[in-house]
Amino acid sequence: DEAQSDKIAHLRKMGMQAIRQGKVGVVLLAGGANWRLGGGDLPSACSSRLLGLPSGKSIMQILCERIRRIGLLCQAEDKRSIKRTSIPVLVMTSRLTHRNVLEHFEANGYFGLFPGDVIFFDQPVSPVMDMNGRLLPQSLGGEFAQTPGGTGAALRALANS
């Protein structure tokens, strides 16, 4: 349908304009420790084995490359400006994944993204309680067991960082 194509072209133009104006950012969730998926020592987002692609790319690499490409497309469409299109990329990590995720970005040159556009923030944790409301002790020592806030806590964590 021509009407549908026109609508898609219009929405794409509006989206690219919003990106060039700095009104769009991306939040990537990288707090998963990869225990359930059996991917080994690396967090889910950093594991190249998780997707099993011939390229060996991690989920994080694929996402960052797409963000970089969108920035380049925005820049190419704006013929009046020679300025780099900045797309803030906010990466939520957890206490378990922060170091590995940061090292993954550093070892791969931030996947072509401008390092100043990439901001890491911590996923909140909450204490674990039993059915009677008592704090559960941590099995590996420490004070009390804690659990990550999950994806639902991403906006709260971002606001508090």
Side-chain angles (χ1 to χ4, degrees):
D1 289 293
E2 192 172 316
Q4 185 70 8
S5 290
D6 289 345
K7 184 175 183 178
I8 290 170
H10 175 71
L11 292 172
R12 183 179 190 275
K13 183 178 178 182
M14 286 177 43
M16 296 292 214
Q17 182 178 358
I19 292 169
R20 281 193 300 276
Q21 292 172 346
K23 295 180 178 179
V24 176
V26 178
V27 177
L28 300 176
L29 307 180
N34 201 7
W35 291 331
R36 289 176 295 192
L37 301 174
D41 296 335
L42 291 176
S44 304
C46 303
S47 174
S48 60
R49 294 184 316 187
L50 192 63
L51 296 178
L53 298 175
S55 66
K57 293 181 179 183
S58 67
I59 294 170
M60 191 61 66
Q61 181 174 355
I62 291 169
L63 293 172
C64 289
E65 287 175 353
R66 292 185 80 171
I67 295 163
R68 185 185 75 217
R69 179 72 179 136
I70 289 170
L72 292 172
L73 289 171
C74 287
Q75 193 173 337
E77 283 189 13
D78 189 2
K79 311 233 184 319
R80 296 169 293 159
S81 176
I82 57 169
K83 165 177 123 169
R84 178 183 63 81
T85 300
S86 175
I87 302 174
V89 178
L90 303 124
V91 183
M92 185 175 80
T93 63
S94 69
R95 292 178 183 169
L96 298 172
T97 65
H98 183 82
R99 183 179 53 81
N100 284 329
V101 172
L102 184 59
E103 287 174 358
H104 190 55
F105 270 84
E106 290 172 345
N108 291 284
Y110 284 75
F111 308 106
L113 297 173
F114 181 67
D117 288 345
V118 181
I119 300 158
F120 298 92
F121 66 101
D122 289 326
Q123 178 179 24
V125 293
S126 301
V128 179
M129 297 186 190
D130 66 14
M131 298 300 278
N132 297 319
R134 291 185 302 248
L135 293 171
L136 291 177
Q138 194 166 118
S139 61
L140 300 174
E143 295 181 23
F144 300 103
Q146 295 182 332
T147 186
T151 57
L155 293 177
R156 192 170 45 253
L158 185 57
N160 293 331
S161 68

